[in-house]
Amino acid sequence: FLLLLAIGYCTSLSAQATNNHLTVLGEASEEVMADQATLNINLSFSDEKDITMVYEQHKAARERILAMLTELKVPTKDIQTQQLLVRKERDFSMGNPPSDKFKGFQRVLIKFGDLKRYADIQQHIASNGFTDVATTFSLSNQRDIELRLFEQAVANAQTKAERLAKAVSRSIKGIVRLGDMDENEAISTTRATAMLPYLNNYSADRPVNTVQQIIRLNALIKVVYELN
């Protein structure tokens, strides 16, 4: 894992004193290398006359994918086939009069706990013609990191509050309230410990090692202190 801990204090706007209370924002963030991935294979087929052909094309594609995954020894529990959606829509392709056609869409999801394994299988699938793919990276220990960042954000808020109180010859008596930033606060923030995953779309000729695999997690809390 590549860990980069960024601990900082908010700007002067993040601390407010009202009567005997002091409101401070605490923040902490971390960038972590993803250790899990979900490969999404998008299937889409259409036919101008026969809806049955759409179902048959999807069935043939699913069977090809599942056969490949079986050959590659991907566990069945890590494969999910989503519901096939078929609808009738109008085609306004340039140079042709508008016409109706039946179009289907379906997605096959494959979950990986080993990114090296993911890279090998992704390239195999793409080289066999399934190039409409997307990947979502994630963390196996996301919750642990979120809790650690929350604790760090609280510690940062405490340090800042003590410095501010000392500057006006006061001291911290205790915490009155602690919680996430409210959406209606004057200071614009992100939700505490929000995970910002990177979604990547790429074709068969794009090397897997160029795909962004860093996930940034942030914790931002508001703490109200009572002053002595």
Side-chain angles (χ1 to χ4, degrees):
F1 289 88
L2 172 63
L3 298 181
L4 174 59
L5 185 61
I7 302 172
Y9 299 126
C10 301
T11 64
S12 59
L13 292 176
S14 62
Q16 300 174 353
T18 304
N19 296 328
N20 211 38
H21 289 168
L22 176 65
T23 301
V24 178
L25 299 185
E27 183 177 17
S29 63
E30 189 170 324
E31 290 186 352
V32 187
M33 185 70 76
D35 64 343
Q36 294 181 331
T38 299
L39 179 63
N40 304 275
I41 306 173
N42 301 311
L43 303 176
S44 182
F45 298 97
S46 62
D47 191 273
E48 295 180 355
K49 298 180 179 180
D50 191 353
I51 191 174
T52 304
M53 292 298 298
V54 176
Y55 284 99
E56 291 181 353
Q57 290 178 87
H58 274 276
K59 179 181 178 182
R62 288 196 309 271
E63 291 177 347
R64 281 188 59 202
I65 292 173
L66 294 178
M68 280 190 291
L69 296 178
T70 299
E71 181 181 352
L72 294 168
K73 295 181 170 46
V74 177
T76 304
K77 65 179 180 63
D78 295 332
I79 306 171
Q80 178 186 353
T81 302
Q82 295 187 342
Q83 182 180 0
L84 170 60
L85 303 176
V86 180
R87 66 183 180 185
K88 188 176 183 180
E89 61 181 36
R90 177 144 291 197
D91 185 3
F92 293 94
S93 299
M94 293 184 62
N96 299 314
S99 61
D100 293 332
K101 67 177 180 180
F102 299 101
K103 187 172 184 178
F105 178 80
Q106 191 170 29
R107 180 174 291 164
V108 179
L109 285 71
I110 312 169
K111 297 182 179 180
F112 297 93
D114 181 349
L115 294 188
K116 175 61 169 64
R117 177 81 167 146
Y118 146 77
D120 294 339
I121 292 178
Q122 185 274 333
Q123 290 181 335
H124 184 86
I125 289 174
S127 64
N128 278 272
F130 296 97
T131 58
D132 186 0
V133 296
T135 302
T136 303
F137 294 101
S138 58
L139 301 169
S140 59
N141 61 338
Q142 176 190 338
R143 183 57 179 167
D144 293 338
I145 297 175
E146 289 178 341
L147 292 175
R148 184 172 70 249
L149 289 178
F150 183 82
E151 293 174 355
Q152 186 63 63
V154 173
N156 290 346
Q158 178 75 23
T159 300
K160 184 175 183 181
E162 290 173 351
R163 292 178 61 184
L164 291 172
K166 183 178 179 180
V168 292
S169 301
R170 304 285 292 275
S171 63
I172 301 297
K173 182 176 182 180
I175 296 177
V176 176
R177 185 166 65 88
L178 182 153
D180 296 352
M181 286 295 301
D182 298 327
E183 293 182 357
N184 59 354
E185 288 291 335
I187 303 172
S188 177
T189 65
T190 57
R191 182 175 175 80
T193 60
M195 187 179 78
L196 306 177
Y198 294 85
L199 181 65
N200 301 278
N201 296 281
Y202 46 92
S203 60
D205 59 355
R206 179 178 178 185
V208 174
N209 59 12
T210 66
V211 178
Q212 178 61 263
Q213 300 178 23
I214 300 296
I215 296 176
R216 182 178 178 84
L217 299 104
N218 302 292
L220 181 62
I221 60 149
K222 180 176 68 175
V223 187
V224 180
Y225 296 92
E226 184 178 359
L227 300 176
N228 286 316

